[in-house]
Amino acid sequence: TKGARLHHEPMAAARSSRPVDYYDGKAVSLDIPEAIQRRLSVRSSLTPDSAKLILVMVGLPGRGKSFIAHKLSRFLNWTGYQTDIFNAGQNRRANHSPTNHSRAGFFDPSDAERKAKRESIAMSTFEELLEWLAGGGEIGIFDATNSNPQRRALLVSRAAEWKGWRSGDASPAAGGAGAGVAGGGGARFGVSIVFIESICTDKSILEANMLSKVRASPDFAGLSEEEALSDLRQRVSHYEASYVPVADEEGAYIKLFDLSSKVTAHQVFGRMTQRVLPYMMSLHISLRPIFLAALPPGYGDLSCEEGGCSSPNQSFALQLASWVGRHAPSSPLRLLSSTQASAVDAARVVARDMRRRGVGCSVTNVSCLNPLDRGSEAGEDQWATQRLASMGFSQRYPGGESFADLVRRLEACVLEVEASTEPVLIVAHATPCRALRAYFLGLPVAECMCPASSRAAEALANASRSVVELLPALFGKWSEEIHTLEERGENSEVLSLDDAVFSLEGQVG
């Protein structure tokens, strides 16, 4: 029996006795065998985005699961999906004695009583996640070892039988690996589980991860660093006795190797492939600063948001170049700018000055860093600040963009910055710079767009002549410092603007 027939030209041509040349580029009818049809039906069931999504972390202790979980949570929240992390270790510490429930002996798989207690803690944490989804959450991240197939099967089973969703809660989330089944007591909706496994075999990465864990985790309070490392290694050995990597038959998964760009995926389609998978491929643990600089008044964004317009101050680019030359690390610099002419000019100045100092600087001009499109309100500058302060995340300017639209086009920029192992300088405009700051600090975008929302948002106002420096911290988080660009003194060693600006050829990426 033949499968489905896909017609790309009239059947008469397909039935022609003329021999078909596979390589001549002409379309012919195509018979799809039933075996392939069955495989395609599986993919069809996996491609639609489910209304609720559960990301289940998998891996031995000290493999960076919490680092990945925090990064994913920050990214997904920034893109507009209600996301939260449910950590089994935090529940264990909050509800049990740290002395009896944090040392390596508690994780001994041969101790049936302690094993049962660990399972109870894990499942109660998972129940909290399900209740949060029932209350309107969209993406829950379950952060625990989940290192054996029995635990993972129990999670899948519990999600499938879950009841408690309230009608009206469902909202399209960031994707899933299948429609899933859950519900009862309300309308049925999709809930998917995707396993996120972190596998580390690089000894230097393992050592760094373990040092970070023992220095920051309350589990090792009161122990010397040497004692804490010994206890953690013993805990890892307990988990290794029963650890089994996620297998294809368990369902959808993404595996990240050595916290770098090696990623494998199985049965992952829909928005998971559009957002989560590319994002995970950009992750690494190299330390480098990120610099945000918004252009001054008249340079293409909300030039009057501080009240009153002024002509562009062309010394901004020279001040920025001088500051970067003195404060940026001596390693090569990655420079991203918008495609606005003023931003391109400023990027040229900085790049030329860095090269003159003997420091490499690659420049990419990208339209995603262009200002928020205010549509028909573009000329109403006297209301710009008030409008920014009152807008919701998805509220759109008439004929223009919303903050959600801005974030969507900035996703490519975030991936590029996250993937960079070099320091990154972003020369853009107030609105995209504030939206990027919201991502790195894990803040709601709509609350960061008005200059009055914080000192840093004010520093990213077009008239501030400041640089916001973002510095990596524990668990993939970032801290910030604000720097004011100094006025040039008579003896400052900088290029003149005319000398710094050179041909655009080959500079636009």
Side-chain angles (χ1 to χ4, degrees), residues 50-336:
S50 59
K52 308 283 182 176
L53 176 64
I54 302 173
L55 301 179
V56 175
M57 306 306 301
V58 177
L60 295 169
R63 265 57 179 178
K65 297 185 300 298
S66 293
F67 169 84
I68 297 169
H70 281 87
K71 297 287 280 190
L72 282 171
S73 176
R74 186 176 303 111
F75 177 70
L76 292 169
N77 274 305
W78 180 68
T79 58
Y81 300 103
Q82 295 182 55
T83 307
D84 205 355
I85 300 171
F86 297 82
N87 184 284
Q90 288 183 339
N91 269 4
R92 169 175 52 80
R93 287 185 289 270
N95 299 299
H96 301 278
S97 164
T99 303
N100 297 327
H101 297 82
S102 294
R103 300 294 182 257
F106 180 70
F107 303 92
D108 185 347
S110 65
D111 189 320
E113 182 180 350
R114 288 176 170 176
K115 181 180 179 180
K117 186 167 289 187
R118 291 198 309 275
E119 291 300 315
S120 174
I121 293 170
M123 294 311 295
S124 66
T125 305
F126 193 68
E127 290 297 323
E128 290 178 13
L129 184 155
L130 295 176
E131 288 301 314
W132 177 79
L133 289 178
E138 293 174 296
I139 304 175
I141 302 177
F142 182 46
D143 187 8
T145 55
N146 302 310
S147 56
N148 61 73
Q150 295 77 24
R151 162 77 68 77
R152 298 192 292 265
L154 185 60
L155 297 175
V156 171
S157 174
R158 180 67 188 102
E161 69 183 14
W162 174 43
K163 298 178 181 180
W165 174 70
R166 293 199 304 264
S167 178
D169 285 341
S171 172
V181 286
R188 293 177 64 83
F189 67 97
V191 56
S192 297
I193 284 185
V194 178
F195 297 111
I196 307 291
E197 184 170 14
S198 180
I199 300 173
C200 285
T201 57
D202 186 293
K203 291 183 178 180
S204 61
I205 294 178
L206 283 174
E207 189 65 24
N209 286 348
M210 287 187 172
L211 278 174
S212 295
K213 187 174 183 70
V214 300
R215 289 171 179 172
S217 174
D219 280 352
F220 306 100
L223 299 180
S224 68
E225 189 169 285
E226 184 178 349
E227 291 172 332
L229 283 171
S230 176
D231 188 85
L232 177 56
R233 291 190 180 103
Q234 187 179 353
R235 182 193 300 190
V236 171
S237 70
H238 287 324
Y239 275 105
E240 285 177 330
S242 60
Y243 171 56
V244 178
V246 179
D248 288 359
E249 56 268 22
E250 293 185 65
Y253 64 72
I254 299 174
K255 299 188 181 189
L256 181 64
F257 294 81
D258 290 322
L259 293 175
S260 62
S261 57
K262 181 181 177 181
V263 174
T264 62
H266 175 66
Q267 290 188 350
V268 172
F269 303 103
R271 291 185 184 137
M272 286 292 294
T273 58
Q274 297 171 17
R275 285 181 162 165
V276 175
L277 188 57
Y279 180 75
M280 288 189 63
M281 292 182 69
S282 73
L283 297 182
H284 59 82
I285 55 174
S286 297
L287 303 180
R288 78 284 187 210
I290 310 297
F291 305 103
L292 301 176
L295 293 163
Y299 266 47
D301 202 352
L302 305 180
S303 59
C304 303
E305 65 181 1
E306 297 301 313
C309 293
S310 61
S311 60
N313 188 340
Q314 294 185 338
S315 66
F316 169 81
L318 300 175
Q319 291 176 6
L320 180 61
S322 178
W323 184 89
V324 170
R326 293 194 304 274
H327 294 85
S330 57
S331 57
L333 181 71
R334 186 90 175 87
L335 198 160
L336 304 177

Side-chain angles (χ1 to χ4, degrees), residues 488-494:
R488 288 193 298 132
E490 291 181 359
N491 299 320
S492 296
E493 185 183 8
V494 295

Side-chain angles (χ1 to χ4, degrees), residues 292-476:
L292 301 176
L295 293 163
Y299 266 47
D301 202 352
L302 305 180
S303 59
C304 303
E305 65 181 1
E306 297 301 313
C309 293
S310 61
S311 60
N313 188 340
Q314 294 185 338
S315 66
F316 169 81
L318 300 175
Q319 291 176 6
L320 180 61
S322 178
W323 184 89
V324 170
R326 293 194 304 274
H327 294 85
S330 57
S331 57
L333 181 71
R334 186 90 175 87
L335 198 160
L336 304 177
S337 84
S338 77
T339 56
Q340 301 279 307
S342 52
V344 173
D345 287 344
R348 289 168 172 170
V349 173
V350 174
R352 185 69 170 265
D353 192 48
M354 293 292 287
R355 293 165 186 157
R356 187 176 63 85
R357 296 171 188 268
V359 179
C361 182
S362 61
V363 179
T364 305
N365 312 121
V366 289
S367 60
C368 65
L369 285 170
N370 286 348
L372 180 72
D373 183 357
R374 294 185 292 146
S376 61
E377 297 185 16
E380 302 176 14
D381 291 320
Q382 66 270 30
W383 303 111
T385 299
Q386 295 92 320
R387 186 79 156 106
L388 285 174
S390 62
M391 282 181 63
F393 182 73
S394 299
Q395 184 179 353
R396 183 173 286 113
Y397 279 104
E401 290 182 302
S402 65
F403 297 152
D405 297 326
L406 176 63
V407 164
R408 188 73 175 101
R409 63 174 162 94
L410 282 173
E411 285 183 28
C413 180
V414 164
L415 296 186
E416 189 162 356
V417 173
E418 285 284 10
S420 176
T421 57
E422 302 170 339
V424 179
L425 169 63
I426 295 173
V427 179
H429 315 271
T431 46
C433 282
R434 288 178 188 146
L436 288 171
R437 172 181 173 267
Y439 161 72
F440 284 106
L441 298 182
L443 301 171
V445 174
E447 295 178 13
C448 296
M449 300 306 287
C450 177
S453 61
S454 69
R455 285 185 60 240
E458 186 177 359
L460 292 171
N462 290 329
S464 68
R465 295 184 174 275
S466 299
V467 173
V468 173
E469 180 179 9
L470 298 161
L471 299 165
L474 283 174
F475 297 119

